[in-house]
């Protein structure tokens, strides 16, 4: 029998200075510990000890030359966490905050997220502490080449299939794939999120944001509510926030905030035109990592060095980075009458913030359910690559919708509490965990 606190204590001793990883394990285990304790097969198979240790971790040096002809050195990693359900699958994050602990947390989350999609994908994650901020396009190209020169030793279309994450979009995937092809002479689905010209899937750029809105649609439908007229706070302004803003507007809701490390903008007219969406993409490609220019361009308010959670809204969608919404922010949203929270970044809510929403019985979706659309369409890209064909936009979008509806259904099945409240965190964790744990039992140790 397991006790959560003693298990976490031992895990911390084995994995010192990895607070995000410990937090992500604590979240999953707090939902599944009873399930494990009541299942003699899981106990005998030592599932908790085995599922919290990555299969393997690669750490490598990335050397590249900047535009001043200086040699620069970054850290590179790939965490292959669990392949019980299929090839390791998960993104690459290039961001100054990246440590091994960050990637272990993301890799751990990815196991259960990928399981929830119903597609045959294991969990992995990789990246670097390299940041594109202030870098030129040729510096990014040289960095990507050097990163892939090392990474290519560990990946393959049936082994481990990386994709994008923060700081890695179609541009970086293109450069990484170019180097992979140069070194291996292979045209395979070794990366997803590829540009459309060479094996990319339609709807992959939109998939995380669209998927999150499809998940939200199901949450509201469950309560006889609809997206029409809802006021939404989004954080971030990158790929995920972009897809979310587009789909929210199509569904008749109004996105009133976007944010960056410099602060947030309030656009009372809504982030709801082609021009505004295109500007978000333009801002990302300038490599400056600031949102303030949006306010100047569209004549709206910029609030410096603050987070968007102080704006009264019906729905909040954190779309930027882990721990971006804390207890203070949660209290402010609750006081302002927020009705739904949809964690679209990975672990965007701190534990205290998540618990505050659950205590108030506010329907709150965890990232591993709500943001699974991205990796789901990556899975569909793998299928198309394996079959050497290309599906239409409509075909991919309808599959994405069905997958998000399926994930919502799994959350309902495992997450409904006695008072009728759907605890999406518990539901997603139990549903995602069971499939992986069962597979591990069947495979033997
Ligand atoms: O966090 C995520 O699910 C992603 N960054 C997408 C991973 C993928 O393999 O498409």
């Amino acid at each position: 029998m397991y006790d959560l606190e003693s298990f976490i204590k031992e895990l911390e001793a084995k994995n010192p200075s990895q607070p995000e990883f410990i937090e992500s394990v604590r979240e999953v285990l707090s939902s599944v510990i009873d399930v494990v304790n009541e299942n003699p097969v899981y106990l005998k198979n030592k599932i908790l000890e085995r599922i919290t240790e990555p299969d393997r971790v690669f750490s490598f040096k990335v050397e590249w030359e900047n535009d001043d002809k200086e040699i620069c050195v970054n850290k590179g990693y790939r965490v292959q966490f669990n392949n019980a359900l299929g090839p390791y699958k998960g993104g690459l994050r290039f961001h100054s905050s990246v440590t091994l602990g960050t990637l272990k947390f993301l890799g751990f989350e990815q196991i259960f997220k990928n399981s929830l999609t119903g597609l045959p994908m294991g969990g992995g994650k990789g990246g670097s502490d390299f940041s594109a901020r202030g870098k030129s396009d040729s510096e990014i190209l040289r960095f990507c080449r050097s990163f892939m020169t090392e990474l290519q030793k560990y990946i393959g279309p049936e082994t481990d299939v990386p994709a994008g994450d923060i700081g890695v979009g179609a541009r970086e995937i293109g450069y990484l794939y170019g180097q992979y092809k140069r070194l291996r002479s292979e045209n395979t689905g070794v990366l997803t999120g590829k540009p459309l010209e060479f094996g990319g899937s339609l709807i992959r750029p939109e998939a995380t944001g669209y998927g999150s809105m499809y998940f939200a649609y199901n949450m509201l439908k469950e309560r006889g509510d609809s997206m029409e007229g809802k006021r939404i706070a989004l954080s971030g302004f990158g790929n995920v926030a972009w897809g979310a803003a587009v789909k929210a507007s199509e569904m008749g809701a109004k996105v009133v905030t976007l944010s960056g490390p410099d602060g947030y903008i309030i656009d009372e007219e809504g982030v709801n035109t082609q021009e505004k969406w295109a500007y978000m993409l333009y801002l990302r490609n300038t490599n400056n990592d600031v949102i303030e220019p949006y306010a100047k361009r569209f004549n709206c308010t910029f609030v410096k060095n603050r987070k968007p959670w102080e704006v009264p809204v019906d729905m909040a969608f954190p779309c930027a980075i882990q721990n971006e919404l804390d207890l203070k922010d949660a209290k402010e949203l609750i006081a302002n009458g927020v009705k739904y929270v949809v964690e679209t970044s990975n672990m965007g809510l701190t534990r205290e913030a998540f618990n505050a929403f659950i205590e108030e019985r506010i329907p709150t979706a965890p990232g591993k359910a709500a943001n699974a659309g991205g990796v789901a369409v990556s899975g569909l890209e793998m299928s198309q690559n394996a079959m050497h064909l290309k599906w239409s936009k409509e075909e991919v979008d309808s599959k994405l919708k069905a997958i998000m509806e399926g994930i919502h259904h799994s959350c309902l099945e495992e997450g409904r509490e006695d008072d009728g409240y759907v605890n999406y965190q518990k539901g997603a964790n139990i549903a995602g965990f069971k499939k992986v744990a069962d597979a591990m039992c069947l495979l033997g140790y």
Side-chain angles (χ1 to χ4, degrees):
M1 294 288 270
Y2 291 98
D3 167 65
L4 179 65
E5 290 311 321
S6 14
F7 188 90
I8 292 291
K9 217 168 163 192
E10 271 177 46
L11 192 75
E12 268 177 322
K14 278 195 276 187
N15 301 275
S17 309
Q18 297 183 350
E20 294 157 331
F21 172 56
I22 303 296
E23 204 48 42
S24 64
V25 174
R26 178 194 284 279
E27 190 219 284
V28 172
L29 262 53
S30 61
S31 301
V32 306
I33 200 137
D34 292 343
V35 174
V36 174
N37 280 334
E38 284 158 19
N39 187 326
V41 183
Y42 290 172
L43 290 172
K44 178 169 172 283
N45 277 279
K46 291 274 190 286
I47 291 300
L48 290 191
E49 285 83 350
R50 291 169 57 210
I51 212 166
T52 52
E53 187 64 35
D55 291 351
R56 64 195 69 77
V57 170
F58 300 106
S59 165
F60 48 88
K61 178 170 65 169
V62 188
E63 298 173 328
W64 56 283
E65 191 182 82
N66 71 14
D67 290 343
D68 296 329
K69 305 271 180 227
E70 285 166 354
I71 298 170
C72 304
V73 182
N74 283 96
K75 287 178 177 292
Y77 305 97
R78 185 71 184 166
V79 177
Q80 296 184 338
F81 220 118
N82 187 299
N83 67 354
L85 300 184
Y88 303 104
K89 182 81 197 85
L92 298 170
R93 177 175 292 191
F94 292 171
H95 192 263
S96 53
S97 67
V98 164
T99 64
L100 177 58
T102 316
L103 299 175
K104 279 175 68 182
F105 123 63
L106 290 163
F108 187 71
E109 282 278 297
Q110 200 80 45
I111 304 170
F112 309 104
K113 182 195 310 196
N114 294 3
S115 160
L116 284 167
T117 67
L119 300 174
M121 301 183 289
K125 202 86 187 189
S128 171
D129 58 359
F130 172 83
S131 161
R133 185 187 282 196
K135 303 287 192 305
S136 69
D137 194 60
S138 41
E139 287 176 323
I140 293 172
L141 170 63
R142 286 195 294 276
F143 174 81
C144 287
R145 278 188 182 158
S146 183
F147 185 88
M148 183 52 90
T149 304
E150 282 299 315
L151 184 69
Q152 56 96 16
K153 298 171 191 167
Y154 315 118
I155 62 175
E158 304 295 341
T159 318
D160 182 354
V161 183
D165 193 84
I166 294 172
V168 181
R171 171 181 58 184
E172 290 76 16
I173 291 290
Y175 294 159
L176 291 162
Y177 192 65
Q179 182 69 347
Y180 185 87
K181 279 192 339 142
R182 199 168 288 117
L183 295 168
R184 304 276 285 255
S185 297
E186 283 174 9
N187 271 286
T188 62
V190 72
L191 298 179
T192 60
K194 296 183 290 300
L196 291 172
E197 288 79 356
F198 40 86
S201 175
L202 288 160
I203 306 288
R204 177 63 190 87
E206 294 87 347
T208 311
Y210 276 25
S212 175
M213 286 297 155
Y214 294 153
F215 193 88
Y217 166 88
N218 282 288
M219 290 169 80
L220 272 67
K221 191 169 159 223
E222 170 66 22
R223 282 155 197 85
D225 201 351
S226 96
M227 297 288 289
E228 189 69 40
K230 291 283 183 298
R231 244 174 96 83
I232 293 181
L234 286 189
S235 61
F237 67 92
N239 169 263
V240 175
W242 164 76
V246 172
K247 189 49 76 178
S249 307
E250 278 180 28
M251 288 175 157
K254 192 199 256 187
V255 171
V256 293
T257 71
L258 297 172
S259 72
D262 55 331
Y264 73 92
I265 61 99
I266 312 183
D267 186 347
E268 283 295 346
E269 283 174 15
V271 183
N272 54 9
T273 62
Q274 289 288 354
E275 201 187 350
K276 291 174 179 177
W277 301 329
Y279 193 72
M280 290 171 78
L281 298 179
Y282 161 78
L283 276 184
R284 142 90 168 112
N285 282 328
T286 60
N287 305 333
N288 290 327
D289 215 11
V290 284
I291 192 65
E292 186 175 7
Y294 181 102
K296 294 208 179 88
R297 173 76 181 72
F298 296 106
N299 198 21
C300 59
T301 311
F302 171 66
V303 185
K304 200 179 159 87
N305 291 335
R306 295 184 72 89
K307 298 193 268 181
W309 316 125
E310 59 192 17
V311 177
V313 287
D314 302 306
M315 307 179 77
F317 287 73
C319 294
I321 200 162
Q322 66 269 15
N323 298 324
E324 56 173 312
L325 195 163
D326 63 18
L327 182 59
K328 185 178 154 287
D329 303 322
K331 284 184 173 161
E332 204 146 11
L333 280 165
I334 292 167
N336 284 329
V338 73
K339 296 187 189 75
Y340 302 91
V341 181
V342 184
E343 190 184 46
T344 305
S345 44
N346 291 309
M347 211 167 74
L349 274 57
T350 64
R351 175 171 24 133
E352 295 78 13
F354 217 118
N355 288 342
F357 291 127
I358 292 177
E359 264 166 42
E360 290 294 325
R361 294 326 218 190
I362 292 168
T364 303
K368 65 172 72 67
N371 75 26
V375 75
V377 175
S378 275
L380 302 178
E381 184 172 330
M382 288 168 73
S383 308
Q384 293 168 78
N385 292 164
M387 293 190 287
H388 302 279
L389 51 71
K390 192 175 198 118
W391 290 334
S392 69
K393 213 181 245 181
E394 292 71 27
E395 199 161 355
V396 179
D397 198 30
S398 74
K399 286 184 163 68
L400 170 62
K401 268 187 199 150
I403 290 170
M404 297 315 295
E405 193 181 339
I407 298 175
H408 185 263
H409 183 75
S410 303
C411 292
L412 293 187
E413 277 194 325
E414 302 284 359
R416 173 103 52 201
E417 299 197 332
D418 293 342
D419 62 355
Y421 174 73
V422 180
N423 185 332
Y424 284 95
Q425 184 182 56
K426 186 169 131 194
N429 283 334
I430 295 178
F433 175 87
K434 272 188 179 170
K435 198 189 295 170
V436 182
D438 290 343
M440 288 172 74
C441 296
L442 294 169
L443 288 161
Y445 66 88

